[in-house]
Amino acid sequence: GKGLRGIRFRRRHLYPIMQSALIYFVYSQVLCPISIGKLYHWIRGQAMLKLYVLIAIVEVFDRLLCSFGQDAWDSLYWNTTRRPRHPRMFVSIIVVGVYVTIHSLFLFVHVATLSVAVNSADNALLTLLISGNFAEIKSTVFKKYNKQNLFKITTSDICERFKLGLFLLLILFLNRFQGDMTSSMVKDYYSMCGIIFAAELVSDWIKHSFITKFNLIKSTIYFDYALILSGDVTGIGHEGLNLDYTHAAVKRLGLAQTPLVCVTARYLHEAVRFAIAFQGNGDVDHPVAALVELMADGNKWKFYTGLFQGLVGLVLFKIALGLCIRYVARGYLGGACDRVAKGGGGVTSSSSSRKSSHVKTPKEGDAKKKQ
């Protein structure tokens, strides 16, 4: 119906409301009752072989749940916009709720395991994590791939790097807010993160180099992949689809954003809890010592004003980042159109003749071959 001044509440507006409610439910009822400290020490007390198996299980189920979760969210969006009173709407909500709960638990364990590896003194578990990246080369480079399979591997690597960066940032926040990290310890942590990212980049570079070499795939295919993602970001190729078009790139990449939000909220909550615990000990070197001092002096308005300013800054950063990504995506598409108009020069002939079809789906090439 109509709201204030003609504002209408449509069915598609119910979808983000359900997303927010589900995030709050999983965060408050599933993750908050779990003690991060107990989980950390339980993982730390396990044998290295068990931890290696645990890490492998978490990574495998993470990829499987990412694939399943995107379809579950699309089904929920379709039922929300088309038949919100149908019994299958309730089934979709239950399926999505179970998926987010299970995936959040796996990612929660993944962050705790990575925290044990980073904070370990002997670096034995960290060595296992880095060796797992190079073990992935053995399991991938000697298989036959086509361009569509390589695209899936590329998007999976993109998500893996993003999650690794997010998890390391959460661990840094938690360690800093606990108040027991000196400047030298922070430098050691940065160097450790650099080693982890360097191992990730080197292993991925070797993997993609040999996959393209053994399967006779030109390196220009990665520019075609960039065109596909640019089309997802700008909305080109998604006209008339009853899907949540704002998350088209997320669906293409296979990024599980909702479980990541739940895990991020839980670790930030733990960091804030430690900050409040250090309120009365007079630790001036604590990263939030200024805010704690405002709360201790009774200046709650200044405290909440600072938090509000930080929230506004994050929102503005998100908007600016979105605009930059769209600008870069449109630049990719504009450059591709110019190359096609000039008769090549960067885009392969196959992608030039099927530019729009590449934007729609990377699997269309196989469908044409079957026909």
Side-chain angles (χ1 to χ4, degrees):
K2 292 185 177 180
L4 296 176
R5 298 181 181 179
I7 299 177
R8 298 179 63 88
F9 181 83
R10 301 184 183 275
R11 292 178 178 177
R12 67 175 181 270
H13 299 152
L14 183 62
Y15 180 72
I17 295 176
M18 289 190 296
Q19 276 186 316
S20 303
L22 187 58
I23 290 173
Y24 178 77
F25 174 80
V26 175
Y27 154 74
S28 61
Q29 302 300 323
V30 178
L31 297 182
C32 279
I34 302 175
S35 175
I36 295 179
K38 291 182 179 179
L39 179 62
Y40 175 87
H41 289 288
W42 178 83
I43 294 175
R44 189 174 183 178
Q46 301 300 313
M48 287 300 165
L49 182 60
K50 291 183 179 180
L51 292 180
Y52 186 78
V53 174
L54 178 62
I55 293 172
I57 292 175
V58 168
E59 291 180 351
V60 170
F61 275 92
D62 180 28
R63 295 186 179 184
L64 295 177
L65 289 172
C66 284
S67 178
F68 174 79
Q70 297 299 328
D71 295 333
W73 279 113
D74 289 341
S75 177
L76 179 61
Y77 183 80
W78 191 89
N79 286 317
T80 303
T81 56
R82 292 296 181 91
R83 48 183 187 186
R85 296 179 178 86
H86 196 275
R88 290 190 178 182
M89 177 67 181
F90 179 75
V91 176
S92 296
I93 295 176
I94 296 298
V95 170
V96 171
V98 173
Y99 152 72
V100 174
T101 300
I102 296 176
H103 201 175
S104 299
L105 290 174
F106 274 104
L107 293 178
F108 193 71
V109 174
H110 193 179
V111 179
T113 307
L114 186 60
S115 177
V116 173
V118 172
N119 296 324
S120 179
D122 56 359
N123 295 329
L125 183 56
L126 183 63
T127 305
L128 289 177
L129 290 175
I130 295 176
S131 63
N133 294 328
F134 291 94
E136 186 180 358
I137 299 176
K138 177 183 176 182
S139 61
T140 54
V141 297
F142 297 110
K143 295 181 181 178
K144 186 174 181 58
Y145 294 98
N146 53 25
K147 297 179 180 180
Q148 289 73 34
N149 299 134
L150 182 58
F151 180 74
K152 291 297 181 182
I153 296 176
T154 305
T155 55
S156 177
D157 291 339
I158 293 173
C159 295
E160 187 175 354
R161 293 180 188 179
F162 174 79
K163 286 188 288 188
L164 181 61
L166 176 63
F167 292 167
L168 291 175
L169 184 62
L170 291 177
I171 296 170
L172 176 62
F173 277 0
L174 187 59
N175 292 341
R176 285 288 291 162
F177 278 32
Q178 287 177 349
D180 56 352
M181 284 191 74
T182 62
S183 58
S184 61
M185 295 175 64
V186 173
K187 293 180 180 178
D188 293 339
Y189 182 83
Y190 287 153
S191 62
M192 193 69 65
C193 293
I195 293 173
I196 295 174
F197 267 105
E200 184 76 21
L201 293 175
V202 171
S203 62
D204 287 343
W205 183 82
I206 295 174
K207 178 178 64 177
H208 284 271
S209 297
F210 281 99
I211 287 178
T212 54
K213 174 181 174 60
F214 293 155
N215 294 276
L216 304 179
I217 300 176
K218 294 183 179 180
S219 60
T220 53
I221 191 64
Y222 292 101
F223 183 79
D224 296 344
Y225 296 159
L227 292 181
I228 297 173
L229 296 176
S230 299
D232 292 335
V233 171
T234 57
I236 298 176
H238 298 276
E239 298 83 359
L241 296 179
N242 187 39
L243 293 175
D244 188 13
Y245 67 94
T246 58
H247 299 289
V250 174
K251 176 178 172 61
R252 183 85 69 182
L253 294 173
L255 179 65
Q257 53 181 355
T258 306
L260 287 174
V261 171
C262 297
V263 174
T264 301
R266 177 64 183 93
Y267 271 84
L268 291 180
H269 173 266
E270 188 74 7
V272 171
R273 187 179 71 84
F274 276 107
I276 296 175
F278 279 91
Q279 178 176 348
N281 66 352
D283 187 4
V284 296
D285 295 329
H286 198 271
V288 291
L291 293 178
V292 171
E293 184 178 356
L294 290 177
M295 286 292 292
D297 295 339
N299 298 323
K300 294 184 178 180
W301 286 110
K302 292 184 179 180
F303 175 78
Y304 290 118
T305 300
L307 291 181
F308 179 75
Q309 291 176 351
L311 180 61
V312 171
L314 290 176
V315 172
L316 294 178
F317 174 75
K318 179 182 182 301
I319 294 174
L321 182 62
L323 292 176
C324 291
I325 292 175
R326 290 180 65 87
Y327 176 80
V328 173
R330 291 185 181 277
Y332 265 107
L333 294 175
C337 293
D338 294 340
R339 290 183 178 88
V340 171
K342 294 178 181 179
V347 181
T348 59
S349 59
S350 60
S351 62
S352 302
S353 60
R354 302 193 311 270
K355 178 174 67 69
S356 61
S357 65
H358 265 301
V359 172
K360 290 181 180 179
T361 172
K363 296 182 180 180
E364 193 164 340
D366 287 345
K368 289 185 177 181
K369 291 180 180 179
K370 292 180 180 179
Q371 291 177 358

